PDB file of all heavy atoms in Angstrom:
ATOM      1  N   SER A   1      40.682  25.425  34.365  1.00 89.00           N
ATOM      2  CA  SER A   1      39.655  26.444  34.241  1.00 89.00           C
ATOM      3  C   SER A   1      38.476  25.863  33.465  1.00 89.00           C
ATOM      4  O   SER A   1      38.632  24.873  32.732  1.00 89.00           O
ATOM      5  CB  SER A   1      40.211  27.672  33.519  1.00 89.00           C
ATOM      6  OG  SER A   1      40.465  27.369  32.157  1.00 89.00           O
ATOM      7  N   PRO A   2      37.278  26.444  33.591  1.00 87.00           N
ATOM      8  CA  PRO A   2      36.131  25.948  32.820  1.00 87.00           C
ATOM      9  C   PRO A   2      36.387  25.920  31.316  1.00 87.00           C
ATOM     10  O   PRO A   2      35.979  24.966  30.635  1.00 87.00           O
ATOM     11  CB  PRO A   2      35.017  26.936  33.181  1.00 87.00           C
ATOM     12  CG  PRO A   2      35.380  27.425  34.556  1.00 87.00           C
ATOM     13  CD  PRO A   2      36.878  27.497  34.557  1.00 87.00           C
ATOM     14  N   SER A   3      37.067  26.943  30.790  1.00 90.00           N
ATOM     15  CA  SER A   3      37.334  26.968  29.352  1.00 90.00           C
ATOM     16  C   SER A   3      38.306  25.871  28.949  1.00 90.00           C
ATOM     17  O   SER A   3      38.167  25.258  27.878  1.00 90.00           O
ATOM     18  CB  SER A   3      37.884  28.342  28.939  1.00 90.00           C
ATOM     19  OG  SER A   3      39.136  28.608  29.583  1.00 90.00           O
ATOM     20  N   GLN A   4      39.317  25.582  29.786  1.00 92.00           N
ATOM     21  CA  GLN A   4      40.251  24.498  29.485  1.00 92.00           C
ATOM     22  C   GLN A   4      39.531  23.152  29.483  1.00 92.00           C
ATOM     23  O   GLN A   4      39.766  22.319  28.599  1.00 92.00           O
ATOM     24  CB  GLN A   4      41.401  24.496  30.499  1.00 92.00           C
ATOM     25  CG  GLN A   4      42.389  25.638  30.309  1.00 92.00           C
ATOM     26  CD  GLN A   4      43.376  25.750  31.467  1.00 92.00           C
ATOM     27  OE1 GLN A   4      43.108  25.316  32.588  1.00 92.00           O
ATOM     28  NE2 GLN A   4      44.530  26.352  31.195  1.00 92.00           N
ATOM     29  N   GLU A   5      38.645  22.917  30.448  1.00 90.00           N
ATOM     30  CA  GLU A   5      37.868  21.681  30.463  1.00 90.00           C
ATOM     31  C   GLU A   5      37.003  21.576  29.215  1.00 90.00           C
ATOM     32  O   GLU A   5      36.915  20.505  28.597  1.00 90.00           O
ATOM     33  CB  GLU A   5      36.991  21.628  31.712  1.00 90.00           C
ATOM     34  CG  GLU A   5      37.735  21.297  32.987  1.00 90.00           C
ATOM     35  CD  GLU A   5      36.797  20.942  34.119  1.00 90.00           C
ATOM     36  OE1 GLU A   5      35.585  20.794  33.865  1.00 90.00           O
ATOM     37  OE2 GLU A   5      37.270  20.800  35.265  1.00 90.00           O
ATOM     38  N   ARG A   6      36.374  22.677  28.836  1.00 89.00           N
ATOM     39  CA  ARG A   6      35.495  22.665  27.667  1.00 89.00           C
ATOM     40  C   ARG A   6      36.292  22.371  26.394  1.00 89.00           C
ATOM     41  O   ARG A   6      35.853  21.566  25.552  1.00 89.00           O
ATOM     42  CB  ARG A   6      34.780  24.012  27.566  1.00 89.00           C
ATOM     43  CG  ARG A   6      33.704  24.077  26.504  1.00 89.00           C
ATOM     44  CD  ARG A   6      32.775  25.251  26.751  1.00 89.00           C
ATOM     45  NE  ARG A   6      33.454  26.531  26.758  1.00 89.00           N
ATOM     46  CZ  ARG A   6      33.607  27.296  27.840  1.00 89.00           C
ATOM     47  NH1 ARG A   6      33.152  26.883  29.015  1.00 89.00           N
ATOM     48  NH2 ARG A   6      34.220  28.458  27.762  1.00 89.00           N
ATOM     49  N   ASN A   7      37.456  22.985  26.257  1.00 92.00           N
ATOM     50  CA  ASN A   7      38.291  22.750  25.074  1.00 92.00           C
ATOM     51  C   ASN A   7      38.798  21.316  25.014  1.00 92.00           C
ATOM     52  O   ASN A   7      38.846  20.696  23.948  1.00 92.00           O
ATOM     53  CB  ASN A   7      39.481  23.716  25.071  1.00 92.00           C
ATOM     54  CG  ASN A   7      39.059  25.164  24.866  1.00 92.00           C
ATOM     55  OD1 ASN A   7      38.022  25.439  24.264  1.00 92.00           O
ATOM     56  ND2 ASN A   7      39.848  26.099  25.375  1.00 92.00           N
ATOM     57  N   LEU A   8      39.191  20.776  26.162  1.00 93.00           N
ATOM     58  CA  LEU A   8      39.685  19.401  26.210  1.00 93.00           C
ATOM     59  C   LEU A   8      38.569  18.403  25.899  1.00 93.00           C
ATOM     60  O   LEU A   8      38.780  17.429  25.171  1.00 93.00           O
ATOM     61  CB  LEU A   8      40.286  19.108  27.585  1.00 93.00           C
ATOM     62  CG  LEU A   8      41.650  19.737  27.870  1.00 93.00           C
ATOM     63  CD1 LEU A   8      41.977  19.694  29.361  1.00 93.00           C
ATOM     64  CD2 LEU A   8      42.747  19.017  27.084  1.00 93.00           C
ATOM     65  N   GLU A   9      37.377  18.635  26.428  1.00 90.00           N
ATOM     66  CA  GLU A   9      36.261  17.728  26.165  1.00 90.00           C
ATOM     67  C   GLU A   9      35.846  17.760  24.702  1.00 90.00           C
ATOM     68  O   GLU A   9      35.492  16.731  24.126  1.00 90.00           O
ATOM     69  CB  GLU A   9      35.080  18.085  27.065  1.00 90.00           C
ATOM     70  CG  GLU A   9      35.336  17.748  28.535  1.00 90.00           C
ATOM     71  CD  GLU A   9      34.136  17.975  29.428  1.00 90.00           C
ATOM     72  OE1 GLU A   9      33.312  18.856  29.099  1.00 90.00           O
ATOM     73  OE2 GLU A   9      34.009  17.290  30.462  1.00 90.00           O
ATOM     74  N   ARG A  10      35.911  18.953  24.088  1.00 90.00           N
ATOM     75  CA  ARG A  10      35.591  19.068  22.675  1.00 90.00           C
ATOM     76  C   ARG A  10      36.618  18.307  21.831  1.00 90.00           C
ATOM     77  O   ARG A  10      36.253  17.622  20.867  1.00 90.00           O
ATOM     78  CB  ARG A  10      35.573  20.538  22.252  1.00 90.00           C
ATOM     79  CG  ARG A  10      35.138  20.746  20.788  1.00 90.00           C
ATOM     80  CD  ARG A  10      35.399  22.156  20.312  1.00 90.00           C
ATOM     81  NE  ARG A  10      34.571  23.114  21.015  1.00 90.00           N
ATOM     82  CZ  ARG A  10      35.033  24.116  21.755  1.00 90.00           C
ATOM     83  NH1 ARG A  10      36.331  24.269  21.925  1.00 90.00           N
ATOM     84  NH2 ARG A  10      34.215  24.957  22.339  1.00 90.00           N
ATOM     85  N   ALA A  11      37.905  18.396  22.209  1.00 92.00           N
ATOM     86  CA  ALA A  11      38.962  17.754  21.433  1.00 92.00           C
ATOM     87  C   ALA A  11      39.006  16.243  21.654  1.00 92.00           C
ATOM     88  O   ALA A  11      39.242  15.469  20.720  1.00 92.00           O
ATOM     89  CB  ALA A  11      40.313  18.370  21.774  1.00 92.00           C
ATOM     90  N   LEU A  12      38.782  15.801  22.901  1.00 92.00           N
ATOM     91  CA  LEU A  12      38.930  14.384  23.248  1.00 92.00           C
ATOM     92  C   LEU A  12      37.623  13.607  23.137  1.00 92.00           C
ATOM     93  O   LEU A  12      37.635  12.369  23.133  1.00 92.00           O
ATOM     94  CB  LEU A  12      39.485  14.246  24.671  1.00 92.00           C
ATOM     95  CG  LEU A  12      40.869  14.853  24.916  1.00 92.00           C
ATOM     96  CD1 LEU A  12      41.222  14.805  26.403  1.00 92.00           C
ATOM     97  CD2 LEU A  12      41.930  14.122  24.100  1.00 92.00           C
ATOM     98  N   GLN A  13      36.480  14.329  23.052  1.00 90.00           N
ATOM     99  CA  GLN A  13      35.174  13.687  22.945  1.00 90.00           C
ATOM    100  C   GLN A  13      34.908  12.715  24.091  1.00 90.00           C
ATOM    101  O   GLN A  13      34.408  11.602  23.915  1.00 90.00           O
ATOM    102  CB  GLN A  13      35.018  12.970  21.608  1.00 90.00           C
ATOM    103  CG  GLN A  13      34.940  13.895  20.401  1.00 90.00           C
ATOM    104  CD  GLN A  13      33.649  14.699  20.414  1.00 90.00           C
ATOM    105  OE1 GLN A  13      32.554  14.138  20.285  1.00 90.00           O
ATOM    106  NE2 GLN A  13      33.778  16.006  20.572  1.00 90.00           N
ATOM    107  N   CYS A  14      35.307  13.120  25.288  1.00 89.00           N
ATOM    108  CA  CYS A  14      35.026  12.327  26.486  1.00 89.00           C
ATOM    109  C   CYS A  14      34.998  13.259  27.675  1.00 89.00           C
ATOM    110  O   CYS A  14      35.341  14.444  27.561  1.00 89.00           O
ATOM    111  CB  CYS A  14      36.078  11.225  26.686  1.00 89.00           C
ATOM    112  SG  CYS A  14      37.654  11.798  27.318  1.00 89.00           S
ATOM    113  N   ARG A  15      34.620  12.738  28.795  1.00 88.00           N
ATOM    114  CA  ARG A  15      34.538  13.550  29.995  1.00 88.00           C
ATOM    115  C   ARG A  15      35.937  13.830  30.544  1.00 88.00           C
ATOM    116  O   ARG A  15      36.791  12.939  30.603  1.00 88.00           O
ATOM    117  CB  ARG A  15      33.704  12.835  31.055  1.00 88.00           C
ATOM    118  CG  ARG A  15      33.415  13.699  32.273  1.00 88.00           C
ATOM    119  CD  ARG A  15      32.618  12.942  33.298  1.00 88.00           C
ATOM    120  NE  ARG A  15      32.445  13.716  34.511  1.00 88.00           N
ATOM    121  CZ  ARG A  15      32.219  13.205  35.700  1.00 88.00           C
ATOM    122  NH1 ARG A  15      32.157  11.895  35.841  1.00 88.00           N
ATOM    123  NH2 ARG A  15      32.061  13.984  36.757  1.00 88.00           N
ATOM    124  N   VAL A  16      36.167  15.087  30.952  1.00 91.00           N
ATOM    125  CA  VAL A  16      37.427  15.507  31.551  1.00 91.00           C
ATOM    126  C   VAL A  16      37.158  15.981  32.975  1.00 91.00           C
ATOM    127  O   VAL A  16      36.245  16.775  33.207  1.00 91.00           O
ATOM    128  CB  VAL A  16      38.100  16.622  30.727  1.00 91.00           C
ATOM    129  CG1 VAL A  16      39.350  17.137  31.446  1.00 91.00           C
ATOM    130  CG2 VAL A  16      38.460  16.115  29.339  1.00 91.00           C
ATOM    131  N   LEU A  17      37.955  15.489  33.911  1.00 90.00           N
ATOM    132  CA  LEU A  17      37.791  15.818  35.326  1.00 90.00           C
ATOM    133  C   LEU A  17      39.112  16.354  35.861  1.00 90.00           C
ATOM    134  O   LEU A  17      40.172  15.782  35.592  1.00 90.00           O
ATOM    135  CB  LEU A  17      37.370  14.573  36.103  1.00 90.00           C
ATOM    136  CG  LEU A  17      36.829  14.751  37.526  1.00 90.00           C
ATOM    137  CD1 LEU A  17      35.506  15.509  37.502  1.00 90.00           C
ATOM    138  CD2 LEU A  17      36.625  13.392  38.194  1.00 90.00           C
ATOM    139  N   ASP A  18      39.067  17.455  36.612  1.00 90.00           N
ATOM    140  CA  ASP A  18      40.303  17.965  37.195  1.00 90.00           C
ATOM    141  C   ASP A  18      40.423  17.518  38.648  1.00 90.00           C
ATOM    142  O   ASP A  18      39.563  16.811  39.179  1.00 90.00           O
ATOM    143  CB  ASP A  18      40.395  19.487  37.053  1.00 90.00           C
ATOM    144  CG  ASP A  18      39.385  20.238  37.917  1.00 90.00           C
ATOM    145  OD1 ASP A  18      38.520  19.584  38.532  1.00 90.00           O
ATOM    146  OD2 ASP A  18      39.464  21.482  37.996  1.00 90.00           O
ATOM    147  N   ARG A  19      41.501  17.931  39.309  1.00 88.00           N
ATOM    148  CA  ARG A  19      41.793  17.485  40.671  1.00 88.00           C
ATOM    149  C   ARG A  19      40.676  17.889  41.644  1.00 88.00           C
ATOM    150  O   ARG A  19      40.273  17.085  42.480  1.00 88.00           O
ATOM    151  CB  ARG A  19      43.135  18.088  41.123  1.00 88.00           C
ATOM    152  CG  ARG A  19      43.582  17.667  42.520  1.00 88.00           C
ATOM    153  CD  ARG A  19      44.889  18.341  42.886  1.00 88.00           C
ATOM    154  NE  ARG A  19      45.299  18.054  44.247  1.00 88.00           N
ATOM    155  CZ  ARG A  19      46.026  17.019  44.617  1.00 88.00           C
ATOM    156  NH1 ARG A  19      46.417  16.149  43.718  1.00 88.00           N
ATOM    157  NH2 ARG A  19      46.356  16.847  45.898  1.00 88.00           N
ATOM    158  N   THR A  20      40.182  19.108  41.505  1.00 85.00           N
ATOM    159  CA  THR A  20      39.116  19.570  42.389  1.00 85.00           C
ATOM    160  C   THR A  20      37.858  18.725  42.220  1.00 85.00           C
ATOM    161  O   THR A  20      37.238  18.302  43.197  1.00 85.00           O
ATOM    162  CB  THR A  20      38.801  21.049  42.117  1.00 85.00           C
ATOM    163  OG1 THR A  20      39.971  21.839  42.317  1.00 85.00           O
ATOM    164  CG2 THR A  20      37.693  21.546  43.035  1.00 85.00           C
ATOM    165  N   GLY A  21      37.464  18.479  40.965  1.00 86.00           N
ATOM    166  CA  GLY A  21      36.301  17.641  40.711  1.00 86.00           C
ATOM    167  C   GLY A  21      36.469  16.230  41.242  1.00 86.00           C
ATOM    168  O   GLY A  21      35.511  15.608  41.730  1.00 86.00           O
ATOM    169  N   LEU A  22      37.691  15.709  41.168  1.00 87.00           N
ATOM    170  CA  LEU A  22      37.989  14.371  41.686  1.00 87.00           C
ATOM    171  C   LEU A  22      37.803  14.315  43.198  1.00 87.00           C
ATOM    172  O   LEU A  22      37.170  13.388  43.728  1.00 87.00           O
ATOM    173  CB  LEU A  22      39.420  13.976  41.303  1.00 87.00           C
ATOM    174  CG  LEU A  22      39.938  12.619  41.811  1.00 87.00           C
ATOM    175  CD1 LEU A  22      39.124  11.469  41.221  1.00 87.00           C
ATOM    176  CD2 LEU A  22      41.418  12.452  41.468  1.00 87.00           C
ATOM    177  N   ILE A  23      38.343  15.304  43.906  1.00 84.00           N
ATOM    178  CA  ILE A  23      38.209  15.352  45.365  1.00 84.00           C
ATOM    179  C   ILE A  23      36.739  15.509  45.764  1.00 84.00           C
ATOM    180  O   ILE A  23      36.263  14.865  46.701  1.00 84.00           O
ATOM    181  CB  ILE A  23      39.063  16.493  45.952  1.00 84.00           C
ATOM    182  CG1 ILE A  23      40.557  16.183  45.748  1.00 84.00           C
ATOM    183  CG2 ILE A  23      38.773  16.693  47.432  1.00 84.00           C
ATOM    184  CD1 ILE A  23      41.478  17.321  46.146  1.00 84.00           C
ATOM    185  N   LEU A  24      36.009  16.335  45.036  1.00 82.00           N
ATOM    186  CA  LEU A  24      34.585  16.507  45.307  1.00 82.00           C
ATOM    187  C   LEU A  24      33.820  15.200  45.134  1.00 82.00           C
ATOM    188  O   LEU A  24      32.908  14.891  45.901  1.00 82.00           O
ATOM    189  CB  LEU A  24      33.995  17.581  44.395  1.00 82.00           C
ATOM    190  CG  LEU A  24      34.282  19.036  44.776  1.00 82.00           C
ATOM    191  CD1 LEU A  24      33.841  19.977  43.662  1.00 82.00           C
ATOM    192  CD2 LEU A  24      33.593  19.396  46.065  1.00 82.00           C
ATOM    193  N   ASP A  25      34.200  14.426  44.123  1.00 84.00           N
ATOM    194  CA  ASP A  25      33.553  13.139  43.890  1.00 84.00           C
ATOM    195  C   ASP A  25      33.802  12.181  45.048  1.00 84.00           C
ATOM    196  O   ASP A  25      32.898  11.467  45.485  1.00 84.00           O
ATOM    197  CB  ASP A  25      34.059  12.534  42.577  1.00 84.00           C
ATOM    198  CG  ASP A  25      33.329  11.246  42.210  1.00 84.00           C
ATOM    199  OD1 ASP A  25      32.211  11.348  41.689  1.00 84.00           O
ATOM    200  OD2 ASP A  25      33.871  10.156  42.459  1.00 84.00           O
ATOM    201  N   ILE A  26      35.030  12.159  45.563  1.00 80.00           N
ATOM    202  CA  ILE A  26      35.347  11.302  46.704  1.00 80.00           C
ATOM    203  C   ILE A  26      34.542  11.742  47.927  1.00 80.00           C
ATOM    204  O   ILE A  26      33.970  10.923  48.648  1.00 80.00           O
ATOM    205  CB  ILE A  26      36.856  11.343  47.014  1.00 80.00           C
ATOM    206  CG1 ILE A  26      37.652  10.760  45.843  1.00 80.00           C
ATOM    207  CG2 ILE A  26      37.169  10.576  48.287  1.00 80.00           C
ATOM    208  CD1 ILE A  26      39.155  10.920  45.982  1.00 80.00           C
ATOM    209  N   PHE A  27      34.478  13.043  48.149  1.00 77.00           N
ATOM    210  CA  PHE A  27      33.713  13.559  49.278  1.00 77.00           C
ATOM    211  C   PHE A  27      32.244  13.171  49.164  1.00 77.00           C
ATOM    212  O   PHE A  27      31.597  12.831  50.158  1.00 77.00           O
ATOM    213  CB  PHE A  27      33.851  15.077  49.365  1.00 77.00           C
ATOM    214  CG  PHE A  27      35.041  15.534  50.164  1.00 77.00           C
ATOM    215  CD1 PHE A  27      36.286  14.967  49.954  1.00 77.00           C
ATOM    216  CD2 PHE A  27      34.932  16.522  51.116  1.00 77.00           C
ATOM    217  CE1 PHE A  27      37.388  15.370  50.700  1.00 77.00           C
ATOM    218  CE2 PHE A  27      36.020  16.935  51.863  1.00 77.00           C
ATOM    219  CZ  PHE A  27      37.250  16.353  51.655  1.00 77.00           C
ATOM    220  N   ALA A  28      31.701  13.239  47.949  1.00 79.00           N
ATOM    221  CA  ALA A  28      30.292  12.883  47.740  1.00 79.00           C
ATOM    222  C   ALA A  28      30.039  11.423  48.077  1.00 79.00           C
ATOM    223  O   ALA A  28      28.983  11.058  48.613  1.00 79.00           O
ATOM    224  CB  ALA A  28      29.889  13.174  46.300  1.00 79.00           C
ATOM    225  N   GLN A  29      30.997  10.555  47.788  1.00 79.00           N
ATOM    226  CA  GLN A  29      30.858   9.132  48.095  1.00 79.00           C
ATOM    227  C   GLN A  29      30.936   8.852  49.593  1.00 79.00           C
ATOM    228  O   GLN A  29      30.291   7.940  50.108  1.00 79.00           O
ATOM    229  CB  GLN A  29      31.949   8.330  47.386  1.00 79.00           C
ATOM    230  CG  GLN A  29      31.861   8.322  45.867  1.00 79.00           C
ATOM    231  CD  GLN A  29      32.985   7.495  45.256  1.00 79.00           C
ATOM    232  OE1 GLN A  29      33.274   6.383  45.697  1.00 79.00           O
ATOM    233  NE2 GLN A  29      33.655   8.022  44.256  1.00 79.00           N
ATOM    234  N   ARG A  30      31.752   9.640  50.325  1.00 71.00           N
ATOM    235  CA  ARG A  30      32.063   9.329  51.714  1.00 71.00           C
ATOM    236  C   ARG A  30      31.133  10.004  52.708  1.00 71.00           C
ATOM    237  O   ARG A  30      31.112   9.605  53.877  1.00 71.00           O
ATOM    238  CB  ARG A  30      33.520   9.735  52.026  1.00 71.00           C
ATOM    239  CG  ARG A  30      34.539   9.090  51.121  1.00 71.00           C
ATOM    240  CD  ARG A  30      34.760   7.609  51.453  1.00 71.00           C
ATOM    241  NE  ARG A  30      35.365   6.896  50.353  1.00 71.00           N
ATOM    242  CZ  ARG A  30      36.612   6.982  49.972  1.00 71.00           C
ATOM    243  NH1 ARG A  30      37.450   7.742  50.652  1.00 71.00           N
ATOM    244  NH2 ARG A  30      37.070   6.283  48.938  1.00 71.00           N
TER     245      ARG A  30
END
């Protein structure tokens, strides 16, 4: 969820990507 991504990014101080975002990135490349 957006809130889970936001909480994880705040805690880990790096970019967090979920499965949907990963698939979208592959589609954007192809």
